Amino acid sequence: MIVHGGRPLKGSVMLSGSKNATLPIMMASVLTDQPLRLRNVPRLRDVNTAIALLQGLGVSAEWTGEHELTLQAAKLTSNDAPYELVKTMRASFCVLGPLLARTGKARVSTPGGCAIGARPVNLHITGIRTLGTRIQIRHGYVEAHADHLEGARIWLDNPSVGATENIMMAAVLARGRTTIENAAREPEVQELARALVSMGARIRGSGTHVIEIEGVERLHGADHEVVSDRIEAGSIMVAAAITGGEVELPNAPTHELDAVIAKLRESGVYVQANGDGVTVARDGKLKPVELRTLPYPGFPTDLQAQMMALLTQSSGTSVITETIFENRFMHALELTRMGADILMKGPTAVVRGPAKLLGAPVMATDLRASMSLIIAALAAENQTEISRVYHLDRGYEALDAKLGALGAQIERVKDEV
Ligand code: EPZ
């Protein structure tokens, strides 16, 4: 991706459906033999990976509209989620719960390492084991068997989003009641619960730390519209702010963006939020802020990299602490290559600004890191070349077209090597 910086973003753009809500809901299609029709599904690499994973199990997947995907697991033909797919996309591991609940048997590859931290799956495994599953880890695969799942009380060591989702999808078909304590409260968990309820599941308390699931005999088909992507929203809000532009996001999920709006306002950015929709503008200087990533409703780790790019332009010293993942500052080194002044010590980054950013060749290391480099490039002098943009295509739909429509000079070229 080649970006020529220095142009303020101006205009209005529609957000896509949420990636992190879509992926687990797609896995939920395994729980019923009837069709699950999903609307507002983003066209992303990760969605294609999830489709490939489901098709491998025997699920039929058909795009029934530009953003409408119909999944039907009429008959499952395999219980295997292979390494090739799980290592490409960790969210694949969330097929364990539904597969086990539907068939009593699942063999799912463990995901292995990750660019942003160790990201183990121990909480998924412990939780699902507590529901009466025999689990062995052999040859890099989790092999799980259960004659039937039995509801249980499960306490999570930390409020993991993926573990909460995986356990919830196993528990909806278990006998009796499951209680997940210290559950994740993220909007994506709430969205999955809404989808499961529309399929006939009995779930209470999603969005709080205690989720109660009353198992049912079977689930049925449903029609579900995916909510807009709060991380895409936050990313474009930050991009508008760094360029000193004015951007409206008419379908932003405003109520999910409180922490982001608060931090942007604290840094001197104008944000107007009403119902669904936000407008972001800036014409004055940016102020430094202190920021700590936390589970929802705290500031999301998925917007930390983008905020770091913005804070390189504020007048003063900002302090960013990453508490969710232990290695999520890879973008800082690339930002430094563009002229940013960032000092890292353990989970904390000290960002001194305003730094003059100059275009440079930089390399994306993960999805959100790629976005932070695009954001920095929008404010940099001259041309920035960002390589490995396939990371972006995993999670941002048509980003170049959307930013282009807001006035950014951004172009996608083929890699020469
Ligand atoms: C989800 O990942 C998101 N992915 C991530 O978004 C997001 O950063 C993360 O939640 C936190 O909000 C999807 O929804 C597909 P966690 P997940 O389990 O579920 C530790 C993006 O860029 N942990 O809440 O994997 C873990 O190591 C991605 O879109 C265990 O120790 O995150 C981490 O430190 C990146 N054992 C913390 O919990 C476990 O069994 C939170 O992870 C599970 C997690």
Side-chain angles (χ1 to χ4, degrees):
M1 208 84 98
I2 299 187
V3 180
H4 287 266
R7 295 179 165 211
L9 298 188
K10 287 211 156 81
S12 173
V13 73
M14 291 300 279
L15 299 165
S16 297
S18 158
K19 166 181 86 82
N20 288 345
T22 300
L23 297 173
I25 296 175
M26 288 176 69
M27 303 301 160
S29 66
V30 168
L31 288 163
T32 171
D33 58 1
Q34 294 177 15
L36 178 63
R37 188 158 68 109
L38 303 178
R39 284 174 286 116
N40 201 28
V41 175
R43 293 285 197 147
L44 299 170
R45 256 172 105 108
D46 274 7
V47 168
N48 291 336
T49 307
I51 290 177
L53 179 91
L54 292 168
Q55 285 174 332
L57 302 173
V59 180
S60 74
E62 196 189 340
W63 287 102
T64 38
E66 175 55 18
H67 288 103
E68 185 182 288
L69 180 65
T70 304
L71 301 167
Q72 185 168 12
K75 193 167 178 301
L76 293 172
T77 51
S78 161
N79 297 77
D80 249 56
Y83 178 57
E84 292 66 45
L85 293 175
V86 183
K87 76 163 190 232
T88 334
M89 187 186 74
R90 307 177 63 86
S92 310
F93 194 73
C94 277
V95 81
L96 175 66
L99 199 50
L100 188 67
R102 171 87 181 272
T103 68
K105 204 171 140 202
R107 186 170 177 272
V108 179
S109 171
T110 50
C114 180
I116 60 175
R119 302 185 78 186
V121 286
N122 58 316
L123 302 175
H124 301 234
I125 293 175
T126 310
I128 288 176
R129 196 174 258 149
T130 311
L131 297 175
T133 313
R134 294 185 303 285
I135 294 188
Q136 278 191 308
I137 301 174
R138 295 200 313 166
H139 309 296
Y141 279 75
V142 171
E143 297 178 350
H145 297 265
D147 299 330
H148 68 265
L149 294 172
E150 192 74 48
R153 281 184 89 83
I154 295 167
W155 178 81
L156 296 179
D157 264 353
N158 77 46
S160 154
V161 176
T164 304
E165 293 169 342
N166 220 344
I167 296 166
M168 198 154 82
M169 287 192 277
V172 286
L173 292 180
R175 288 187 193 159
R177 174 180 298 183
T178 298
T179 308
I180 309 175
E181 288 184 72
N182 200 23
R185 297 164 64 188
E186 267 65 7
E188 294 75 20
V189 172
Q190 300 178 44
E191 197 45 22
L192 173 63
R194 264 193 293 277
L196 290 169
V197 166
S198 68
M199 294 167 73
R202 294 176 60 196
I203 302 173
R204 278 198 322 204
S206 86
T208 75
H209 280 311
V210 183
I211 301 182
E212 280 185 349
I213 303 143
E214 208 66 61
V216 295
E217 279 277 308
R218 59 177 52 82
L219 295 186
H220 51 72
D223 193 322
H224 181 86
E225 174 153 353
V226 177
V227 68
S228 312
D229 196 309
R230 66 185 172 113
I231 305 300
E232 186 194 20
S235 304
I236 298 178
M237 287 161 76
V238 172
I242 202 169
T243 62
E246 180 168 346
V247 170
E248 184 201 12
L249 302 172
N251 65 340
T254 317
H255 55 289
E256 297 175 2
L257 287 163
D258 286 344
V260 180
I261 292 173
K263 281 296 157 187
L264 282 175
R265 283 183 177 151
E266 205 181 311
S267 67
V269 177
Y270 169 82
V271 184
Q272 192 196 24
N274 46 14
D276 264 6
V278 292
T279 300
V280 182
R282 177 177 73 87
D283 54 15
K285 275 190 176 169
L286 283 166
K287 290 182 268 187
V289 298
E290 271 188 42
L291 184 85
R292 173 180 285 266
T293 63
L294 285 170
Y296 189 81
F299 192 91
T301 174
D302 287 348
L303 284 170
Q304 176 260 109
Q306 298 87 320
M307 270 311 266
M308 187 183 286
L310 178 69
L311 294 174
T312 64
Q313 300 308 296
S314 63
S315 306
T317 303
S318 300
V319 180
I320 300 179
T321 306
E322 170 61 55
T323 76
I324 309 292
F325 293 110
E326 61 279 16
N327 190 28
R328 212 177 194 182
F329 283 151
M330 303 278 272
H331 46 279
L333 296 168
E334 296 300 294
L335 291 173
T336 306
R337 298 192 54 251
M338 296 175 71
D341 179 354
I342 304 170
L343 183 81
M344 282 172 292
K345 205 158 171 48
T348 300
V350 177
V351 185
R352 280 186 291 241
K356 190 175 176 65
L357 297 178
L358 298 174
V362 289
M363 198 156 69
T365 48
D366 78 72
L367 169 59
R368 309 305 172 187
S370 320
M371 189 65 207
S372 85
L373 299 178
I374 298 271
I375 289 169
L378 290 171
E381 258 181 31
N382 298 329
Q383 168 178 313
T384 301
E385 257 181 62
I386 299 142
S387 52
R388 298 200 180 161
V389 293
Y390 56 84
H391 287 295
L392 276 179
D393 296 330
R394 291 188 56 178
Y396 290 97
E397 185 179 31
L399 183 72
D400 36 345
K402 287 185 187 181
L403 293 179
L406 294 174
Q409 209 178 333
I410 181 167
E411 181 193 3
R412 188 184 281 257
V413 294
K414 272 224 178 318
D415 253 341
E416 275 162 20
V417 278

